[in-house]
């Protein structure tokens, strides 16, 4: 049996089992990565050398992630993967398949497969990496495995390491493209591969030893490369085209010419400064009517440095911008909002009508300066309520708008607790714990409460220059999130705000669009988990994060059962109109397990949904906006709803 005749591409008509999403496959790959790399390392031939064998094993495993939802070939009457996980079964199959392809010899008149080529990633320069050496038993086993064909090695690994029976090994090999799995099993019978040997450090490509490469040879190559590069640069300068005498800038002035508008934008004396009472009479109430505040508004040198860095940030300046925000210099003199000392830094905040720019430098010098941008066009009164002055030690300070009368702090996860009043000093809050900077599990979510002449609103730090406004209610008619009902709506889903970090979020709205009675009366849960408590009704909430740039809105459908501290995300989407003012409707579903152990598909739509239908892995329909259907664990269903006006709506996904 020749190696080139052993492995073929799997037939497209092979039986299919569960369908695995990319996220499920990624989770399985990350959880079992060391075992999958070990499988690839053992199946690969040893003739390529230990260093390349290690890198190839890692490369094949990292490329095992599918690009789309993929069915797993069925294995009769047994779990499809490690501990019944179809995601693990899928990536393990892909690892075995590509490792077998990598062991095929190259043919002269055929294009090589990707697995047969040296890995592009990962790469290690200047070091030799190889697993730790084992004992005599491991060495003997490696020699016996190297004498086998690729399919036979794979059979030994699946038998010994994965502990699969021969029937399942045959199914995996066939799905991986092996033409004669029985012959591979018969050949593997000649080698006894015990689990303790296959699981030893000798065959662990994730626990490596490092040694240097040939240092003298590397030094000679470096010198030769430098000489060749210098010669190439000289030849390019001498032989380059002389040009036709035309200026590529056209009618633009020479680079060294001084543009009056650009020079004015760099002059601290021409900064726009607004009267402290301008916001009381202005038709616009936004950042354009903020006065200049802080103790360093007359520090001309500081303001000049801030403007110069904005126009020409040096290589040592850390520059960041929210998505969709340009980071170029101002078109003219910007407006000064703040200049002062914040903790151990000097901070300048400027506004050019489109963006907020924050320049920060250490109080004892300019090394380590930072420049941050955020888009704020069309902010309005609510969107211009506060801006982040600085972050330090997990805390954040805000500069509030001049129309803010009072400020407080509250935990969004504790709706019945009282807010803590904050003292504003020149519009600046004391340092507050930032939920965007806190590591570890989410046990609380602190938000800033602001009160002005029009009411009270909540904003939260999502790791950006401008905090996001929180609202609650039906899209298009949403209200403040500071009321008692809105706080109870937000409480179970506050931690989901972590998914909105650093996305240029302008506002996040929570809409409780449905309440659904739960089947069963003792306990509830989803997936393989259970929650103790009585029956009752679950709440469906849709959270939508709008961005300053307009696109990139993020939508989450979430499900909360009675007695649970937090909700669960059941569906998510980006750049869709669902749950927004343009499309104030949504349909979502979840696979739920009752206390009696029965599985159900629960689906809910907004109030204007006349009927809901499930197809695919679960079949059922119901009039109205709620659907409850018995289902099997792991079933997948497609949802479709019919609205009262006859239009249809698909499930959020």
């Amino acid at each position: 049996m020749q190696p080139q005749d052993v492995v073929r591409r799997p037939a497209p008509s092979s039986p299919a089992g569960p369908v695995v999403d990319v996220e499920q496959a990624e989770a399985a790959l990350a959880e079992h990565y060391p075992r999958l790399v070990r499988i690839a390392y053992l199946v690969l031939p040893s003739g390529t050398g230990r260093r390349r064998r290690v890198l190839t094993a890692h490369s094949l495993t990292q490329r095992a992630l599918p690009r789309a939802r993929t069915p797993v070939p069925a294995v009769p009457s047994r779990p499809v993967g490690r501990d019944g996980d179809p995601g693990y079964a899928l990536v393990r199959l892909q690892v075995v398949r590509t490792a077998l392809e990598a062991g095929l010899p190259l043919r002269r008149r055929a294009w090589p497969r990707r697995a047969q080529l040296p890995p592009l990633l990962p790469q290690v320069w200047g070091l030799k990496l190889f697993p730790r050496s084992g004992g005599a038993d491991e060495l003997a086993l490696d020699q016996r495995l190297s004498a086998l064909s690729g399919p036979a090695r794979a059979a030994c690994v699946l038998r010994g390491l994965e502990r699969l029976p021969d029937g399942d090994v045959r199914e995996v090999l066939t799905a991986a493209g092996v033409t004669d799995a029985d012959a591979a099993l018969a050949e593997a019978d000649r080698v006894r591969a015990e689990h303790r040997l296959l699981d030893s450090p000798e065959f662990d490509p994730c626990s490596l030893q490092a040694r240097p490469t040939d240092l003298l040879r590397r030094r000679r190559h470096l010198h030769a490369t430098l000489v060749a590069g210098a010669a190439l640069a000289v030849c390019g300068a001498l032989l380059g085209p002389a040009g036709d005498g035309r200026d590529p800038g056209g009618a633009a002035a020479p680079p060294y010419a001084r543009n009056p508008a650009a020079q004015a934008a760099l002059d601290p004396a021409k900064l726009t400064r607004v009267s402290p009472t301008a916001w009381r009479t202005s038709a616009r109430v936004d950042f354009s009517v903020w006065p200049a505040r802080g103790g360093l508004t007359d520090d001309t040198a500081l303001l000049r440095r801030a403007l110069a860095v904005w126009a020409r940030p040096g290589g040592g300046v850390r520059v960041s911008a929210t998505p969709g925000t340009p980071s170029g210099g101002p078109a003219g003199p910007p407006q000064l909002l703040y200049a002062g000392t914040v903790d151990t830094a000097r901070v300048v905040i400027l506004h050019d009508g489109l963006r907020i720019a924050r320049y920060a430098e250490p109080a004892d010098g300019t090394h380590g300066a930072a420049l941050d941008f955020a888009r704020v066009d069309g902010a309005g009164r609510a969107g211009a309520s506060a801006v982040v002055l600085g972050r330090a030690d997990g805390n954040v300070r805000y500069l509030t708008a001049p129309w803010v009368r009072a400020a407080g702090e509250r935990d969004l996860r504790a709706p019945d607790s009282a807010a803590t009043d904050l003292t504003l000093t020149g519009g600046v809050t004391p340092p507050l714990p930032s939920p965007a900077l806190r590591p570890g599990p989410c046990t609380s979510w602190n938000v800033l409460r602001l009160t002005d002449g029009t009411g009270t609103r909540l904003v939260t730090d999502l790791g950006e220059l401008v905090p996001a406004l929180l609202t609650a209610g039906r899209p298009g008619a949403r209200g403040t999130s500071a009321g008692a009902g809105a706080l109870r709506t937000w409480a179970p889903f506050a931690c989901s705000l972590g998914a909105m970090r650093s996305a240029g979020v302008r506002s996040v709205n929570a809409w409780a669009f449905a309440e659904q009675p739960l089947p069963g009366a003792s306990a509830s849960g989803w997936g393989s988990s259970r929650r103790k408590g009585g029956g009752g009704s679950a709440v469906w909430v849709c959270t939508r994060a709008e961005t300053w740039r307009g696109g990139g809105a993020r939508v989450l459908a979430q499900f909360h059962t009675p007695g649970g501290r937090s909700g669960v995300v059941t569906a998510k989407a980006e750049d869709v109109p669902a749950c927004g003012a343009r499309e104030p409707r949504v349909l979502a579903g979840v696979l739920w397990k009752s206390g009696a152990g029965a599985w159900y598909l629960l689906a809910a739509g907004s109030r204007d949904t006349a009927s809901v239908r499930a197809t695919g892995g679960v079949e059922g329909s119901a009039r109205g906006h709620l659907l409850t259907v018995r289902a099997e664990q792991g079933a997948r269903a497609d949802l479709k709803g019919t609205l009262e006006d006859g239009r249809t709506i698909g499930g959020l996904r």
Side-chain angles (χ1 to χ4, degrees), residues 204 254 263 332 357 393 507:
D204 184 9
Q263 290 299 114
D393 301 326
S507 63

Side-chain angles (χ1 to χ4, degrees), residues 285-310:
V285 184
D286 54 16
F287 287 110
S288 66
V289 293
W290 276 36
R293 289 173 286 179
L296 300 178
T297 54
D298 295 327
D299 189 335
T300 303
L302 172 63
L303 299 178
R304 190 182 304 278
R305 288 195 301 273
L307 292 170
V309 170
W310 187 354

Side-chain angles (χ1 to χ4, degrees), residues 417-562:
S417 63
T420 302
D421 293 334
L422 300 175
T423 300
L424 298 178
T425 305
V428 179
T429 68
L432 308 174
S434 171
L437 302 179
R438 181 179 53 234
C442 176
T443 57
S444 62
W445 193 277
N446 298 322
V447 296
L448 179 66
R449 187 193 66 179
L450 301 173
T451 303
D452 59 22
T454 63
T456 302
R457 57 185 57 91
L458 299 180
V459 297
T460 184
D461 180 27
L462 294 181
E464 298 176 334
L465 195 51
V466 180
L469 176 67
L470 300 180
T471 59
R474 181 178 175 84
R478 60 193 185 190
T480 176
S481 59
L487 290 174
R488 285 192 292 270
T489 298
W490 262 113
F493 311 103
C495 290
S496 67
L497 289 168
M500 317 293 184
R501 290 187 180 101
S502 304
V505 174
R506 178 175 187 164
S507 63
V508 187
N509 183 61
W511 172 34
F513 65 90
E515 186 172 334
Q516 185 170 18
L518 295 173
S522 59
S524 61
W526 46 83
S528 59
S529 64
R530 293 187 177 183
R531 289 186 174 272
K532 296 182 179 180
S537 297
V539 176
W540 287 91
V541 168
C542 186
T543 55
R544 180 181 177 91
E546 302 285 358
T547 66
W548 289 99
R549 63 189 183 277
R554 298 184 180 183
V555 180
L556 302 178
Q558 304 190 65
F559 182 75
H560 179 237
T561 55

